[in-house]
Amino acid sequence: MKYIVLLLLLVASCAQLPKQHSDKYSILQGVTNSKEVEFSVLADTENLRFELRDPEGEIIQPDETKIVTRSFSKWMVHKIVFVRDAQKDYNLYVYEGEKIVDQRLVGRGQKEQTRLRIAVASCMSDHFKKDFKIWDTLASKNPEYLLMIGDNVYSDITDKSLVQAVDPELLWKRYVDTRLALPIYFQKKLIPVHATWDDHDYGINDGNSKWGYKKEAKEIFDAFFAQDMSDDDYYKGHGVGGMLSLGDFNLYFLDGRTFRSDIKEGTHLGLDQTAWLISKLREESSPSFIIKGDQFFGGYHKFESFEGSHPNDFQQFVDELKKINTPFIFLSGDRHMSEIMQFPRGMFGKPSFEITSSPIHSKVYPDRLDQNPWRVVSENAHQNFTIIDNLAQNDHWFLEIENFGVNGEPYYRREVAVFIKDLQNNLNEARKRRVGKRRYKKIRVKRSKRR
């Protein structure tokens, strides 16, 4: 009798959950917060529908959908937002008609309010296929979020050659190429991704505000990533930037290209974006990452950086940050090398660091390592990514920073701490303000639109 009951339970379970199928589509899980989860799915057909299912078989339909197309391409991007219980595990199912054509385990995101585990990667050329196994290595580290912080798509490089005449059609094609090539978009378990861009996904090498296709580039970036529809715990900034609130931590993603002046005496982030960042840091006071594609500090080398490209604006930026009580750490990519910098306490009135992570798979320069006066440790000879474990506890922000290679080789590990006066009171006040300003809409009109 016991075996009959077990058999009936097995049959019932199979009836509730569809059979798993092999991957077919390029799927990215984007903004994943306390209420919402957003996806972008690259496909060559409009005839798809999507649902979430929990282990008990409860079905959740999308709260909002849209389809982004281009007349010159068969490839389109399905954008989907679900409202779900953040404490539950879900599978995303993709249907063509009544047939299940894809299934993925949805990443839950942050598990504890005081802890946050992130992976940081940049410079991911689709021409370095021999190193693509690094994505399996990254996934094995179980990050709660993956930050793609620039050169996520090499839109202006085809067949390893630099192309100067990039237009929206080539931009779209190269975003498609990358989404179809990189293993991260085909893994069984999705990792929530949040991104900003640098020059290569912007569409022009060392690009600035003079780029003629910056509007079209932003539309394409917004289509392929999944951070333009959710509005719970995510605040849109300027350009492709925004702020993502995750428990006790804030992540400020800056657009370092759209507003960048083409002259050394000009602004780097633009006046409006800089003012937005400073006002948010004054308002929130939670431990914060300030993130953009290329480095903040870099006056000592000849490559692009905030300090090197716009020194006067950079000094004003530093002066404004000195007035901020919010603890912050800079995150950057671009350099085709990774490093940790530590700055004198007098620079910002508190312990401060910049963490650079680059490249996950692109060219490296083993013989090119500039003498950085702030450098603590670095890796410049191998493809790599960075894992950062964050803990807000006992008036401190603790970070464990680890850098790994293609096969999981550990290149460096450092522990740092940022003292935060009266941390818990700051966090409680920040949560109150955030709840009061939340823009989450309890009722949405479901829609499917083409553009």
Side-chain angles (χ1 to χ4, degrees), residues 3-17:
Y3 297 107
I4 295 174
V5 171
L6 288 174
L7 180 60
L8 289 172
L9 287 173
L10 179 61
V11 171
S13 175
C14 291
Q16 283 184 325
L17 295 178

Side-chain angles (χ1 to χ4, degrees), residues 378-444:
S378 66
E379 168 54 46
N380 70 308
H382 304 90
Q383 287 80 10
N384 65 87
F385 63 90
T386 303
I387 294 287
I388 307 174
D389 276 302
N390 299 273
L391 172 64
Q393 186 180 64
N394 299 330
D395 291 350
H396 282 79
W397 174 15
F398 298 100
L399 299 94
E400 182 181 290
I401 307 160
E402 297 180 280
N403 186 266
F404 297 98
V406 172
N407 296 303
E409 308 92 330
Y411 292 132
Y412 58 77
R413 176 181 178 274
R414 289 293 186 277
E415 294 180 354
V416 304
V418 180
F419 177 75
I420 311 166
K421 185 178 179 181
D422 207 11
L423 170 66
Q424 197 56 53
N425 287 337
N426 283 347
L427 295 178
N428 289 338
E429 288 301 313
R431 287 181 204 128
K432 288 177 186 176
R433 287 194 295 270
R434 216 175 290 150
V435 169
K437 296 185 178 184
R438 182 165 290 163
R439 298 174 297 147
Y440 174 69
K441 302 168 188 175
K442 293 184 178 179
I443 300 176
R444 279 202 182 120

Side-chain angles (χ1 to χ4, degrees), residues 106 170 219 277:
V106 177
L170 181 57
E219 291 172 350
L277 172 65

Side-chain angles (χ1 to χ4, degrees), residues 320-337:
E320 286 297 319
L321 289 177
K322 283 181 182 178
K323 305 172 188 176
I324 299 294
N325 292 324
T326 300
F328 56 80
I329 286 176
F330 301 106
L331 277 185
S332 58
D334 178 60
R335 281 297 315 280
H336 293 251
M337 54 88 71

Side-chain angles (χ1 to χ4, degrees), residues 59-94:
I59 298 174
I60 299 177
Q61 300 297 332
D63 193 57
E64 186 174 1
T65 65
K66 66 179 179 181
I67 302 175
V68 186
T69 64
R70 291 295 184 270
S71 60
F72 49 76
S73 176
K74 71 174 184 177
W75 294 100
M76 62 197 70
V77 183
H78 295 255
K79 308 297 292 290
I80 315 106
V81 173
F82 292 91
V83 175
R84 54 77 173 96
D85 183 347
Q87 302 305 312
K88 288 186 177 182
D89 290 317
Y90 292 92
N91 281 275
L92 173 69
Y93 288 96
V94 184

Side-chain angles (χ1 to χ4, degrees), residues 112 117 134 256 258 260 284:
E112 298 180 47
R117 182 173 173 84
I134 197 170
T258 303
R260 180 181 298 214
E284 287 287 333

Side-chain angles (χ1 to χ4, degrees), residues 71-253:
S71 60
F72 49 76
S73 176
K74 71 174 184 177
W75 294 100
M76 62 197 70
V77 183
H78 295 255
K79 308 297 292 290
I80 315 106
V81 173
F82 292 91
V83 175
R84 54 77 173 96
D85 183 347
Q87 302 305 312
K88 288 186 177 182
D89 290 317
Y90 292 92
N91 281 275
L92 173 69
Y93 288 96
V94 184
Y95 290 83
E96 283 188 40
E98 298 304 313
K99 180 183 178 183
I100 299 167
V101 292
D102 208 339
Q103 174 200 349
R104 308 294 176 88
L105 179 62
V106 177
R108 185 182 286 188
Q110 189 179 22
K111 298 176 182 65
E112 298 180 47
Q113 186 154 299
T114 61
R115 297 176 181 271
L116 179 65
R117 182 173 173 84
I118 58 176
V120 186
S122 72
C123 303
M124 45 199 78
S125 170
D126 57 330
H127 298 299
F128 283 73
K129 294 181 173 60
K130 65 181 179 62
D131 300 311
F132 278 2
K133 59 184 176 180
I134 197 170
W135 290 110
D136 291 329
T137 302
L138 185 150
S140 73
K141 303 300 179 183
N142 295 313
E144 294 171 323
Y145 292 84
L146 166 61
L147 311 187
M148 292 185 173
I149 62 170
D151 294 342
N152 315 302
V153 177
Y154 278 72
S155 63
D156 57 342
I157 296 180
T158 59
D159 301 323
K160 298 188 179 181
S161 299
L162 183 65
V163 176
Q164 297 296 339
V166 176
D167 58 21
E169 187 168 340
L170 181 57
L171 265 172
W172 183 273
K173 179 184 182 300
R174 294 295 292 131
Y175 272 72
V176 169
D177 291 344
T178 303
R179 281 289 295 266
L180 294 176
L182 269 56
I184 184 66
Y185 302 119
F186 295 92
Q187 291 177 331
K188 286 294 183 184
K189 181 180 179 181
L190 299 172
I191 303 171
V193 171
H194 203 98
T196 189
W197 62 12
D198 201 27
D199 52 343
H200 293 301
D201 23 18
Y202 185 50
I204 182 169
N205 190 47
D206 296 347
N208 55 49
S209 61
K210 300 295 186 182
W211 174 225
Y213 291 120
K214 62 184 178 182
K215 176 178 178 291
E216 292 85 351
K218 180 182 182 300
E219 291 172 350
I220 292 170
F221 179 94
D222 286 342
F224 281 82
F225 288 94
Q227 53 201 47
D228 65 320
M229 295 169 70
S230 298
D231 55 13
D232 179 62
D233 292 333
Y234 177 63
Y235 303 82
K236 288 183 173 61
H238 294 260
V240 300
M243 184 189 87
L244 185 64
S245 295
L246 297 173
D248 289 344
F249 305 93
N250 289 331
L251 284 69
Y252 293 90
F253 295 86

